[in-house]
Amino acid sequence: MEDTLFKEKIAQFQKLYDESSRIVFFGGAGVSTESGIPDFRSQDGLYNQKWRYPPEVIISRSFFNSNPEEFFRFYREKLIVKNVQPNTAHNVLAKMESLGKLSAVVTQNIDGLHQAAGSKNVFELHGSVLRNYCMKCGAPYNIDFIEQSKSEADGVPHCTKCGGKIKPDVVLYEESLNQECINGAVKAISGADLLIIGGTSLVVYPAAGLIDYYSGKNIVLINKSETASDYKAQLVIHESIGKVLGALKI
């Protein structure tokens, strides 16, 4: 019965996909978890043993400023994930773009996997762990530099040019999203003829609020669990994003 229902929903999705030419994908952590990247908000037993603060506190701007040692200890362990590869969802979306069907990816993820899969027009609402910069002189640094700086006395990465503190190009709590990125995402979403929302529970604002700029009639929402925005979608599929996108004929 469940298999029949899934096939029926994929058939509906296929029809919407075939009839669309300006598709935008809006995604969250569920897209990356299928590549083995954990959702940092999950507080497992190990987390509770090792961290004295909630993750939302640790990755806030005020905590970064006042306690950079603890910030980078958490950041390296929870947010820097090496040797991961794009999964089916990333690859299908990149192919959709190459075929001229998908116009943009709007992502809340910071891992760079959409670009690794080949997607070109990607709006990274929360930045990327792959980019880092000196807060004093602006010099750029890669992810390896941040990882290797754990061997420094305080574990805080400092610029080799001026000695300034290096900050990941990631939007922390208490910081505003990049306005240029928001503008691009809003333009893409508002001009779409099909909005696919996947792997996100739509609870992180202001990012989640961007879907309200979509004025079309075709929204496909794919998430393992229910969301408060399910009612906005014409088609809701409670399955993994990789399984659903992998079932499409593109």
Side-chain angles (χ1 to χ4, degrees):
M1 187 68 176
E2 287 184 3
D3 187 52
T4 301
L5 179 60
F6 179 73
K7 287 180 179 178
E8 289 175 353
K9 292 199 170 191
I10 291 300
Q12 293 176 55
F13 190 8
Q14 187 72 54
K15 186 173 187 295
L16 291 171
Y17 172 80
D18 291 342
E19 295 173 350
S20 303
S21 59
R22 297 186 312 280
I23 302 168
V24 169
F25 178 79
F26 181 95
V31 180
S32 294
T33 54
E34 294 182 33
S35 286
I37 297 179
D39 183 347
F40 75 86
R41 291 181 185 81
S42 59
Q43 297 190 23
D44 52 30
L46 181 64
Y47 169 86
N48 288 326
Q49 292 169 23
K50 295 182 70 172
W51 313 104
R52 293 177 293 167
Y53 308 92
E56 287 81 2
V57 171
I58 297 176
I59 55 172
S60 67
R61 183 55 185 264
S62 56
F63 194 92
F64 172 82
N65 291 338
S66 64
N67 196 344
E69 299 90 348
E70 186 72 0
F71 171 89
F72 277 104
R73 189 168 77 90
F74 179 89
Y75 182 82
R76 288 189 191 93
E77 180 158 332
K78 286 289 186 179
L79 298 186
I80 292 181
V81 182
K82 303 293 287 292
N83 303 316
V84 292
Q85 300 298 323
N87 59 53
T88 299
H90 297 110
N91 293 330
V92 170
L93 291 166
K95 187 175 180 181
M96 285 182 184
E97 184 184 39
S98 71
L99 294 171
K101 293 280 285 183
L102 184 133
S103 57
V105 168
V106 181
T107 180
Q108 300 172 77
N109 298 331
I110 58 176
D111 49 52
L113 287 178
H114 283 292
Q115 291 92 329
S119 290
K120 308 294 185 190
N121 196 29
V122 182
F123 296 99
E124 297 175 306
L125 298 176
H126 296 148
S128 172
V129 296
L130 302 181
R131 300 185 299 269
N132 307 272
Y133 64 91
C134 172
M135 298 175 70
K136 190 173 180 182
C137 73
Y141 288 88
N142 62 26
I143 192 171
D144 292 327
F145 187 88
I146 303 299
E147 193 172 46
Q148 292 160 8
S149 64
K150 65 183 177 184
S151 60
E152 293 188 19
D154 59 0
V156 177
H158 290 90
C159 181
T160 57
K161 297 180 175 64
C162 72
K165 186 165 67 173
I166 295 172
K167 180 184 180 297
D169 190 13
V170 170
V171 179
L172 304 177
Y173 286 96
E174 303 166 355
E175 291 184 325
S176 299
L177 302 187
N178 178 278
Q179 194 59 50
E180 185 178 346
C181 181
I182 291 177
N183 292 344
V186 167
K187 184 177 180 181
I189 291 171
S190 60
D193 57 4
L194 170 61
L195 178 62
I196 304 172
I197 302 170
T200 174
S201 52
L202 296 170
V203 295
V204 178
Y205 283 81
L210 295 183
I211 68 169
D212 292 334
Y213 285 96
Y214 178 68
S215 56
K217 58 182 175 59
N218 296 325
I219 296 180
V220 177
L221 199 158
I222 308 157
N223 198 51
K224 284 185 175 180
S225 57
E226 293 182 6
T227 80
S229 296
D230 281 10
Y231 73 94
K232 297 179 181 179
Q234 279 62 53
L235 178 60
V236 177
I237 307 176
H238 290 142
E239 267 290 358
S240 73
I241 183 69
K243 179 179 178 180
V244 175
L245 292 184
L248 278 185
K249 295 182 178 68
I250 62 173

